[in-house]
């Protein structure tokens, strides 16, 4: 099992993300996730850097593998453009880059003014986008594509890695999980859902790599950790498909008023006790994921990484988790 650090583009400045990437390598993490957003989930988070610029800078300060968690290559940005950005990232990272993709959220994708498609159409668009990107990474000469959702006219990516980069796909429900099992090189999710993981493996995923991520809220006290988690990330407690359909940070702020501080305290590991942070990994380990990525909420990321370097990561590896 590999343990990685999740860089939150919605909460930290580009400089902070770069520093966290460097510290994550020094602290003993095995890899990096980085989110790809146009907007944060709410104004309290307050950031949302262009992920491809951040990845380029990260490639110069650490040698950990990087996965986008996740990029939507269908609405806001044409898949041919994402294919070029991902190929450049893979070259800068000497092949240590995985493009994580998903069907996206209206929060980020509505900005170009088009309609927000239903989930079945979004999955169809994503499958066509993946086909286009793989062609651009593998075919010699120019690529032309006239599909249901996209047109590519005599395009060629000149700067690309020697081997095509892997594409992992997120799945938060059965339909997306089935598509991921069929078209992706790996699986991404944020829930320790054994049934979805089994569905992925049984429906074609087999032994393909699986990744999962979750958040903790390190702080000197548990009370402070709960307060900052609820203030910055109450949206994590929203149920169902709201995260996919709400169109702006203010709508997430309104919906998050329904999430109580008590609910946040039950769902997020808070404070500075190493054993609590070790225990937070248990559901994801027991579910059987290959790679687990942990994000920190709030301003204490440096202290969180020290705790993980000195106590949490050694214990997880010692116990075989």
């Amino acid at each position: 099992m590999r343990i990685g650090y999740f860089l939150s583009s919605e909460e930290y400045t580009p400089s902070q993300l770069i520093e966290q990437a460097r510290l994550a390598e020094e602290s003993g993490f095995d890899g990096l996730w980085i989110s790809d957003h146009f907007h944060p989930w709410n104004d309290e988070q307050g950031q949302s850097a262009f992920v491809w610029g951040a990845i380029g800078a990260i490639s110069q300060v650490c040698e950990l593998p990087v996965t986008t968690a996740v990029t939507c290559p269908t609405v806001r940005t044409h898949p041919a453009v994402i294919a070029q950005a991902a190929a450049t990232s893979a070259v800068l990272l000497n092949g240590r880059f995985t493009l994580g993709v998903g069907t996206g959220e209206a929060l980020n994708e509505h900005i170009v003014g088009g309609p927000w498609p239903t989930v079945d159409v979004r999955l169809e668009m994503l499958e066509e986008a993946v086909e286009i990107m793989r062609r651009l990474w593998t075919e010699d000469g120019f690529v032309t594509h006239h599909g249901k959702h996209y047109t590519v006219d005599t395009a060629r990516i000149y700067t690309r890695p020697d081997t095509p980069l892997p594409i992992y796909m997120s799945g938060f429900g059965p339909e997306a999980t089935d598509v991921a099992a069929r078209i992706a090189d790996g699986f991404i999710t944020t829930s320790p859902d054994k049934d979805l993981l089994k569905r992925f493996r049984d429906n074609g995923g087999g032994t393909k790599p699986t990744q999962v991520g979750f958040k903790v809220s390190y702080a000197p006290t548990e009370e402070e950790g709960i307060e900052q988690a609820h203030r910055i990330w109450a949206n994590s407690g929203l149920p169902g498909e709201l995260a996919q359909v709400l169109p702006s940070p203010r709508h997430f702020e309104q919906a998050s008023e329904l999430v109580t501080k008590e609910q946040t305290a039950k769902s997020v590991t808070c404070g500075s006790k190493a054993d609590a942070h070790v225990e937070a990994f248990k559901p994801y380990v027991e579910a059987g994921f290959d790679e687990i990525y942990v994000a920190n909420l709030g301003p204490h990321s440096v202290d969180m990484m020290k705790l993980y370097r000195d106590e949490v990561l050694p214990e997880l590896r010692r116990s075989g988790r």
Side-chain angles (χ1 to χ4, degrees), residues 15 33 36 40 44 102 104 110 123 154 157 160 184 198 205 211 220 235 244 252 268 290 295 305:
S15 295
W33 263 14
D36 180 359
E44 188 66 37
H110 81 280
L123 286 167
T154 55
I157 295 177
R160 63 189 195 186
K198 184 176 186 300
Q211 299 181 339
N235 59 280
Q244 280 72 54
F252 278 92
V268 180
D290 300 307
M305 287 198 206

Side-chain angles (χ1 to χ4, degrees), residues 9 24 26-27 96 120 144 161 165 169 205 215 280 285 289 294 320:
S9 299
E26 291 182 358
S27 300
R96 302 184 308 275
D120 57 326
T144 295
L165 53 152
M169 180 178 160
K215 298 178 179 66
V285 174
F289 287 93
V294 57

Side-chain angles (χ1 to χ4, degrees), residues 84-300:
Q84 184 188 29
T88 299
S89 297
V91 170
L92 284 168
L93 287 159
N94 294 317
R96 302 184 308 275
F97 179 72
T98 297
L99 179 63
V101 300
T103 58
E105 304 92 12
L107 172 73
N108 299 304
E109 308 306 318
H110 81 280
I111 61 163
V112 293
W116 182 234
T118 57
V119 66
D120 57 326
V121 174
R122 300 202 311 269
L123 286 167
E124 190 178 76
M125 295 171 72
L126 182 58
E127 186 165 357
E128 186 177 339
V130 168
E131 176 191 351
I132 289 168
M133 292 188 292
R134 284 186 170 139
R135 288 188 63 191
L136 287 165
W137 295 333
T138 59
E139 293 185 16
D140 295 326
F142 290 89
V143 171
T144 295
H145 172 92
H146 298 286
K148 182 175 180 179
H149 300 287
Y150 303 106
T151 296
V152 178
D153 184 7
T154 55
R156 180 180 179 185
I157 295 177
Y158 283 81
T159 300
R160 63 189 195 186
D162 294 334
T163 57
L165 53 152
I167 295 177
Y168 292 7
M169 180 178 160
S170 66
F172 300 106
E175 288 180 311
T177 298
D178 289 348
V179 174
R182 180 164 49 83
I183 72 169
D185 302 305
F187 182 61
I188 290 175
T189 191
T190 57
S191 170
D193 191 320
K194 294 180 181 179
D195 293 335
L196 276 185
L197 184 58
K198 184 176 186 300
R199 186 180 185 112
F200 172 78
R201 288 174 170 157
D202 290 349
N203 290 352
T207 59
K208 294 176 182 177
T210 59
Q211 299 181 339
V212 67
F214 71 101
K215 298 178 179 66
V216 298
S217 182
Y218 179 95
T221 66
E222 184 178 6
E223 292 73 20
E224 182 182 338
I226 293 169
E227 188 282 327
Q228 68 190 18
H230 189 68
R231 174 173 51 83
I232 302 171
W233 283 92
N235 59 280
S236 293
L238 295 176
E241 298 178 25
L242 284 176
Q244 280 72 54
V245 299
L246 295 180
S248 75
R250 72 173 181 273
H251 291 101
F252 278 92
E253 289 165 1
Q254 292 164 6
S256 295
E257 291 178 4
L258 301 173
V259 180
T260 67
K261 189 176 290 188
E262 290 72 25
Q263 289 172 316
T264 298
K266 289 180 181 179
S267 63
V268 180
T269 295
C270 301
S272 59
K273 293 182 179 179
D275 56 349
H277 284 263
V278 170
E279 191 67 16
F281 282 79
K282 185 176 180 179
Y284 305 93
V285 174
E286 292 182 344
F289 287 93
D290 300 307
E291 302 177 26
I292 304 174
Y293 292 79
V294 57
N296 187 60
L297 315 181
H300 303 293

